[in-house]
Amino acid sequence: MPVLHNQVSNKVLKERMLAETEPRTTISFYKYFTIADPQEFRDRLYKLFLELQVFGRVYIAKEGINAQISVPSSKVEALRALIYSISPELDNLRLNIALDDDGKSFWVLRMKVRDRVVADGITDESFNPSNTGQYLKAEQVNQMLDDPDAIFVDMRNHYEYEVGHFEQAVEVPSDTFREQLPMAVDMLRDQKDKKIVMYCTGGIRCEKASAYMLHNGFDNVYHVEGGVIEYARKAKEQGLPLRFKGKNFVFDNRMGERITEDVLAHCHQCGSECDTHTNCKNDGCHLLFIQCPTCAEKYEGCCSVACQEESKLTEEEQRSRRAGREVSNKIFNKSRHRLSAGFINPEK
């Protein structure tokens, strides 16, 4: 029986991926459907994906599947045929093809069984995730954006909203989807007569969010089919105005797909216009934040002078300094981090 998990170091795998000569295509897909034996399904799919040289991140649960992957471009159609064949529920499933793709999004295949494909914190057993709102295609999205009775609700994390969002969309300021669901209900409780449009990156979060809103007494609920990825692709194909501005944050090595040239965010260190996310180069930090090229050079890719100095210590000295250090949230959030004029104070 083949080994059903990776046994090679990330460093070696990344080097192998970067040395590949054939381009790769980045694809995401999801489906809510009942999987009786998630572990068996996972092991079977893992072997099939390995044969097609698939890299990426796949979560499987009794409620369905959620995947962000890359595959050699010559094998895209073989992958499509495979996905359609492994379960009747996945036949003709929509695959979201990345827009701004350098093919370097993943370098290893990680496939995990989880309680939920998206951590939602929902404990109400009467909740039905399949009772969702109405899909909106790209042209309908643009029409709804001009409807004064419609409210667009961004069901992505605050750092995703920061670099790009639909015009006049409502932000639900949180780091996690499980926090956002009850927050969205509370924020919109007095607007149940409005048309509520949920959206997210690829559709999986906003689809469940639309079901949650219906479960909580909202009647006119919609969600953007395929999320921002599918909206932008279809809008470009059909020559429609792009009403999503800026970047669409993605959870892979690219950290973002450029949708329009609008730059909505600012460097978290100096405040200049910038929407490039990075992780602090200090292995003891890895904070996700926005950094402009000037600050990246000045602080050598670190979020602060302290991290810059620590990153230059020997491995033993770094381990000693980190011993007992409390691990905090690794995403920049203005409510939790030291600020200078509303941004990170890199001197601290």
Side-chain angles (χ1 to χ4, degrees):
M1 183 176 179
V3 176
L4 299 182
H5 57 84
N6 171 58
Q7 292 187 309
V8 182
S9 73
N10 277 333
K11 180 180 179 181
V12 170
L13 289 169
K14 187 172 184 179
E15 289 173 351
R16 288 180 185 175
M17 180 272 290
L18 292 174
E20 289 183 346
T21 56
E22 180 179 354
R24 283 181 165 267
T25 299
T26 302
I27 298 170
S28 61
F29 65 89
Y30 74 92
K31 177 71 174 182
Y32 288 109
F33 71 107
T34 301
I35 299 177
D37 188 342
Q39 188 64 51
E40 184 278 332
F41 185 93
R42 179 265 179 206
D43 291 347
R44 178 161 52 95
L45 188 61
Y46 188 92
K47 289 184 284 186
L48 294 170
F49 273 16
L50 278 184
E51 292 174 4
L52 290 179
Q53 298 173 276
V54 172
F55 297 156
R57 183 187 308 113
V58 184
Y59 298 136
I60 295 164
K62 288 187 175 181
E63 68 172 0
I65 185 170
N66 180 21
Q68 296 87 42
I69 60 175
S70 76
V71 65
S73 296
S74 64
K75 298 183 179 182
V76 169
E77 291 310 312
L79 174 73
R80 190 188 304 273
L82 167 62
I83 292 170
Y84 289 176
S85 69
I86 56 178
S87 169
E89 296 280 359
L90 300 180
D91 188 24
N92 290 316
L93 179 69
R94 181 190 63 252
L95 303 184
N96 290 332
I97 308 297
L99 297 168
D100 187 10
D101 188 13
D102 61 5
K104 308 300 183 184
S105 49
F106 300 101
W107 54 84
V108 64
L109 176 60
R110 301 191 191 283
M111 193 174 291
K112 298 182 179 181
V113 173
R114 288 187 161 185
D115 291 335
R116 302 282 178 91
V117 290
V118 176
D120 53 36
I122 299 172
T123 57
D124 186 345
E125 294 184 2
S126 67
F127 171 68
N128 180 8
S130 65
N131 181 31
T132 63
Q134 302 176 55
Y135 274 135
L136 291 179
K137 297 185 181 297
E139 185 175 7
Q140 295 170 312
V141 170
N142 282 5
Q143 292 170 353
M144 195 71 85
L145 281 162
D146 293 325
D147 187 335
D149 289 326
I151 300 174
F152 275 65
V153 184
D154 195 316
M155 293 306 297
R156 302 171 306 150
N157 301 323
H158 75 90
Y159 55 90
E160 300 173 74
Y161 180 94
E162 186 175 8
V163 295
H165 48 262
F166 279 110
E167 299 169 2
Q168 300 177 358
V170 174
E171 178 187 9
V172 185
S174 174
D175 290 337
T176 66
F177 183 62
R178 66 167 63 235
E179 292 174 345
Q180 285 182 316
L181 287 172
M183 287 174 67
V185 170
D186 289 341
M187 288 171 62
L188 300 169
R189 193 175 299 280
D190 296 332
Q191 302 188 70
K192 290 188 175 182
D193 59 326
K194 300 287 187 179
K195 300 170 185 174
I196 307 299
V197 182
M198 326 295 287
Y199 74 90
C200 59
T201 305
I204 189 168
R205 286 177 284 180
C206 52
E207 183 164 321
K208 180 170 280 189
S210 72
Y212 191 75
M213 299 301 281
L214 288 170
H215 183 71
N216 281 275
F218 293 80
D219 296 322
N220 299 313
V221 183
Y222 304 81
H223 55 113
V224 176
E225 183 175 14
V228 177
I229 297 174
E230 181 70 0
Y231 164 80
R233 187 174 73 84
K234 287 296 187 181
K236 290 180 178 180
E237 284 181 1
Q238 298 168 18
L240 302 173
L242 283 166
R243 304 289 295 275
F244 182 97
K245 302 300 182 182
K247 258 186 179 180
N248 182 33
F249 185 94
V250 291
F251 293 88
D252 59 52
N253 199 49
R254 297 169 298 152
M255 291 193 183
E257 294 183 329
R258 173 67 61 193
I259 306 300
T260 70
E261 295 306 313
D262 303 88
V263 178
L264 308 185
H266 299 83
C267 173
H268 287 159
Q269 291 176 310
C270 72
S272 63
E273 285 192 354
C274 179
D275 58 9
T276 301
H277 275 101
T278 189
N279 289 107
C280 179
K281 294 298 188 291
N282 177 16
D283 288 336
C285 179
H286 284 171
L287 177 76
L288 177 69
F289 69 110
I290 295 173
Q291 186 177 53
C292 71
T294 300
C295 288
E297 181 178 359
K298 180 179 180 180
Y299 298 105
E300 299 176 282
C302 294
C303 69
S304 66
V305 170
C307 278
Q308 187 178 13
E309 293 173 348
E310 184 172 296
S311 68
K312 295 177 181 179
L313 299 176
T314 65
E315 287 189 16
E316 184 178 349
E317 289 173 323
Q318 289 183 38
R319 285 195 297 269
S320 175
R321 181 175 290 195
R322 295 168 196 155
R325 179 187 294 170
E326 181 180 349
V327 177
S328 62
N329 189 301
K330 294 185 182 300
I331 298 168
F332 174 69
N333 182 321
K334 293 179 181 179
S335 68
R336 285 199 292 269
H337 291 271
R338 290 183 175 181
L339 307 180
S340 175
F343 300 97
I344 292 174
N345 184 348
E347 304 306 319
K348 298 296 185 181

